[in-house]
Amino acid sequence: MQTNQRLNPFPWYRSMRETAPVYFDKQQYMWHVFRYDDVQRVLSDYASFSSARGRGGDQPLSASMISMDPPRHRQLRALATQAFTPRAVDALAPRIQSIVNELLDQVMARGQMDVIEDFSYPLPVIVIAELLGIPPADRVRFKAWSDAIVSTSNTMGAGGMTNWQAQREMVAYFTDIIAQRRREPGADLISGLLAAQIEGQHLTTQELLGFCVLLLVAGNETTTNLLGNAMLCFTEQPEAWQRLRAEPALLPSAIEEVLRYLSPVQSMFRVAAKEVELGGQRIPEYARVLAWIGSANRDEAQFPNADEFDITRSPNRHIAFGYGIHYCLGAPLARLESRIALSAMLERFTTVRRAPDAEQEPLESTIVYGVHSLPMTFEPG
């Protein structure tokens, strides 16, 4: 994708839904899927579209839940779910509120901020780092690692490293952390995973590494871009901001609309587990398949006036967090962080505007949607 298309892929999505909803790209040697019903099937029909095939190698994400089919996926997810129960997530709310207040306190006197750098990046990084028991001084490396891993460009990412370098550094880092927790267990998530068992068996080191990398990347990128994309929407449509200030009960609905309208995750990869027919096309076994979540969430067949940002939209059956057995485990945490963060901003900022002459630079990724920076001015309330 070119820069302009990464920033605004939606006309291309619409064209593909209309003319080639299930399309074989001979250059990439990959099938692309664009319509809501077809994308939903690719994400949920694991007997036909595998998450595990084609994921070989020793990269940690290959040993994580995102790269597994049942029954192992079910076992690992049952284990991880214990750390993300509604009660466990809700217990994080006071700490998230504290972090939000600290971050906003630092910018209030300026009347301006970079939404990404000052707020939407540090918030989830701090939350995930504290969950994993990571020292604060080590957080600065997380952004470069996760950006490089979701990058789909052939060049180095904004952090100055390639996907392969990032995964190698993360493996070395978390291998040391896991060894430390084995010697001195704490109250953190890594210590809990070390102690946990599945049918009498402990997780392998590779599975533990997979958990750590997945939590860091997914927990960082999803919430950072959800918050950043929310402020992209609100700075472009200030009337929606004013309505939310007048009717704060609409905030959960507004967050769901951001998830649909500018989905933080735009695409997910699968491999055909057998020959399968989809959208009138016959996809052969072992074929690579890319399901375009960002396109599905703009499908007019599912969402009337799909290209309009409507904070009152109902129903809103978006699939921004995936669908089926791989539905995002951290979705409740992302929603909680976003609700607390946006509530605080709505209370503190009477108006929000994108800074004059601020250019938008999209992330170098077709996997996630977001911008590198979002300079914004505001009037304190």
Side-chain angles (χ1 to χ4, degrees):
M1 275 191 187
Q2 300 298 314
T3 298
N4 288 343
Q5 196 176 58
R6 286 202 309 274
L7 200 57
N8 184 20
F10 307 107
W12 176 61
Y13 291 160
R14 187 187 315 115
S15 173
M16 297 304 288
R17 285 195 303 272
E18 293 170 355
T19 62
V22 178
Y23 168 75
F24 182 66
D25 186 324
K26 293 179 181 178
Q27 285 187 314
Q28 294 181 313
Y29 216 75
M30 181 183 294
W31 290 85
H32 296 257
V33 181
F34 293 92
R35 287 181 180 165
Y36 182 95
D37 289 344
D38 294 336
V39 169
Q40 190 180 65
R41 183 185 171 195
V42 171
L43 295 180
S44 59
D45 181 3
Y46 59 82
S48 300
F49 300 98
S50 169
S51 297
R53 291 198 184 195
R55 302 276 191 164
D58 57 358
Q59 293 185 334
L61 284 177
S62 299
S64 71
M65 290 182 297
I66 202 170
S67 303
M68 289 184 182
D69 294 327
R72 190 57 173 170
H73 170 272
R74 191 177 297 116
Q75 294 170 332
L76 282 181
R77 189 177 179 98
L79 187 64
T81 298
Q82 298 170 26
F84 290 95
T85 62
R87 183 177 180 182
V89 171
D90 288 344
L92 298 171
R95 178 58 183 144
I96 294 170
Q97 185 72 64
S98 175
I99 298 166
V100 165
N101 291 339
E102 290 171 17
L103 293 171
L104 292 179
D105 286 346
Q106 293 172 15
V107 301
M108 288 304 294
R110 302 203 311 249
Q112 60 183 18
M113 66 188 293
D114 184 326
V115 174
I116 310 299
E117 182 179 342
D118 296 328
F119 192 65
S120 73
Y121 152 59
L123 171 61
V125 165
I126 293 169
V127 172
I128 290 294
E130 291 185 356
L131 273 175
L132 293 173
I134 303 300
D138 293 343
R139 293 175 196 152
V140 291
R141 289 185 272 181
F142 286 5
K143 180 64 171 170
W145 285 341
S146 55
D147 279 357
I149 285 173
V150 300
S151 174
T152 48
S153 71
N154 293 321
T155 57
M156 289 188 177
M161 70 178 70
T162 63
N163 180 306
W164 180 80
Q165 287 174 308
Q167 294 219 36
R168 186 179 63 177
E169 287 190 15
M170 291 178 83
V171 166
Y173 178 81
F174 281 117
T175 298
D176 286 344
I177 292 287
I178 289 167
Q180 290 174 23
R181 295 298 187 278
R182 278 200 170 102
R183 293 192 302 268
E184 299 175 32
D188 55 273
L189 187 52
I190 293 176
S191 298
L193 290 170
L194 275 166
Q197 296 184 28
I198 302 175
E199 298 175 1
Q201 299 289 315
H202 289 284
L203 294 176
T204 67
T205 298
Q206 195 70 2
E207 287 171 336
L208 279 164
L209 288 168
F211 260 119
C212 293
V213 173
L214 180 62
L215 283 169
L216 177 58
V217 176
N220 176 3
E221 293 291 335
T222 302
T223 308
T224 291
N225 293 319
L226 171 52
L227 285 171
N229 295 348
M231 297 315 296
L232 273 174
C233 293
F234 295 133
T235 53
E236 288 176 359
Q237 303 193 40
E239 67 279 1
W241 186 259
Q242 295 307 322
R243 181 162 186 189
L244 277 177
R245 295 196 78 237
E247 301 177 62
L250 286 175
L251 182 55
S253 171
I255 290 171
E256 299 309 306
E257 180 67 345
V258 172
L259 285 162
R260 182 199 71 84
Y261 186 75
L262 293 180
S263 305
V265 176
Q266 290 284 299
S267 64
M268 289 297 289
F269 176 79
R270 296 288 189 269
V271 173
K274 58 186 177 183
E275 186 178 283
V276 60
E277 186 170 318
L278 186 71
Q281 300 289 333
R282 191 163 294 279
I283 298 176
E285 185 178 8
Y286 302 117
R288 301 189 304 156
V289 180
L290 199 62
W292 287 96
I293 291 171
S295 172
N297 284 339
R298 293 288 190 107
D299 191 337
E300 287 276 359
Q302 178 70 28
F303 305 99
N305 305 312
D307 287 331
E308 291 182 14
F309 179 69
D310 178 6
I311 62 173
T312 66
R313 185 179 295 275
S314 181
N316 189 348
R317 298 186 183 93
H318 69 75
I319 49 176
F321 285 120
Y323 192 79
I325 64 168
H326 285 281
Y327 183 84
C328 178
L329 189 68
L333 179 57
R335 286 186 168 110
L336 178 66
E337 289 179 85
S338 300
R339 190 171 72 246
I340 292 172
L342 291 170
S343 291
M345 295 175 86
L346 284 160
E347 288 177 9
R348 291 183 181 226
F349 304 157
T350 57
T351 63
V352 291
R353 294 185 180 88
R354 193 164 322 152
D357 304 321
E359 291 189 10
Q360 292 180 31
E361 183 185 351
L363 299 176
E364 293 87 359
S365 179
T366 54
I367 301 171
V368 298
Y369 183 94
V371 292
H372 282 291
S373 65
L374 181 56
M376 180 186 83
T377 61
F378 57 83
E379 292 180 13

